[in-house]
Amino acid sequence: MAACSSGRPSIPPPCSTGPHTDRAPDARALLGGDAYTGVVLTVLDNNPGWTREYAERIVTEALKFVHAASLFPTVPISPTEEVDEGWHALILHTRVYAALCSGLGRMVHHYPERPEAAREDPAVLTRTMALIEQAGYMADAELWTGHQRELVGVARHTPMPGGCGPINPGNCATHGGSGDD
């Protein structure tokens, strides 16, 4: 998500440092059963060899990611390569994605960028996981940190300060065009 205002964005602390419910909400509830299944099947179609259980985990994390992006529109976040597969599958289901974003209160746009070392942000995954927790969910640590519990690679790099990049909830006027992917 692009930080479209000047200055450093404020990042709330993870939920684990404050009060939270014993049971996190199920992000799958953001979509109807048929819509969720359709997105999962798209992930499977695009990734031969993945199990249905793995595809479901990826789509669920993508839903958490989009929800967090909608709640914290000025904080730069990014999905891992795996979670990005789920987000792209959501975007391909245009009516489902539009309804999801409408229900969340804002469109979360995707602005593809080519990787550039100058925009790399080593803290982006830690920040993304913290915001997913702030949204009320438990992040699937393996999809964000891998089996070794080290942060895994991001699918997109974050934008330069003040610019609009790969993720934008629709409130940044500095990026030309519609921003739809």
Side-chain angles (χ1 to χ4, degrees), residues 15 70 109 155 158:
C15 286
S70 75
H109 290 285
T158 57

Side-chain angles (χ1 to χ4, degrees), residues 96-118:
V96 169
Y97 189 67
L100 169 66
C101 290
S102 177
L104 295 175
R106 72 177 65 234
M107 175 59 78
V108 179
H109 290 285
H110 183 304
Y111 297 104
E113 289 185 329
R114 298 190 60 90
E116 185 178 313

Side-chain angles (χ1 to χ4, degrees), residues 135-171:
Y137 303 104
M138 295 292 294
D140 183 335
E142 185 177 302
L143 291 177
W144 295 97
T145 61
H147 296 290
Q148 309 302 319
R149 296 292 184 235
E150 295 175 10
L151 295 175
V152 296
V154 296
R156 304 288 184 262
H157 297 280
T158 57
M160 297 187 84
C164 289
I167 306 159
N168 185 300
N171 65 348

Side-chain angles (χ1 to χ4, degrees), residues 25-44:
D26 185 355
R28 294 175 296 183
L30 294 170
L31 298 182
D34 289 341
Y36 179 81
T37 299
V39 175
V40 168
L41 292 174
T42 297
V43 169
L44 287 171

Side-chain angles (χ1 to χ4, degrees), residues 31-166:
L31 298 182
D34 289 341
Y36 179 81
T37 299
V39 175
V40 168
L41 292 174
T42 297
V43 169
L44 287 171
D45 289 345
N46 292 334
N47 297 280
W50 283 7
T51 66
R52 181 166 181 135
E53 177 189 8
Y54 190 63
E56 288 175 354
R57 288 173 56 204
I58 287 169
V59 171
T60 301
E61 290 306 296
L63 288 166
K64 294 173 188 177
F65 172 78
V66 171
H67 192 182
S70 75
L71 291 174
F72 305 100
T74 62
V75 182
I77 64 174
S78 188
T80 62
E81 292 178 15
E82 289 84 1
V83 175
D84 197 48
E85 286 291 324
W87 188 28
H88 282 207
L90 278 166
I91 291 169
L92 288 174
H93 292 257
T94 57
R95 287 183 191 214
V96 169
Y97 189 67
L100 169 66
C101 290
S102 177
L104 295 175
R106 72 177 65 234
M107 175 59 78
V108 179
H109 290 285
H110 183 304
Y111 297 104
E113 289 185 329
R114 298 190 60 90
E116 185 178 313
R119 288 192 306 266
E120 288 187 27
D121 180 356
V124 72
L125 291 180
T126 303
R127 185 170 50 245
T128 302
M129 289 174 62
L131 293 181
I132 285 171
E133 289 183 12
Q134 285 294 305
Y137 303 104
M138 295 292 294
D140 183 335
E142 185 177 302
L143 291 177
W144 295 97
T145 61
H147 296 290
Q148 309 302 319
R149 296 292 184 235
E150 295 175 10
L151 295 175
V152 296
V154 296
R156 304 288 184 262
H157 297 280
T158 57
M160 297 187 84
C164 289

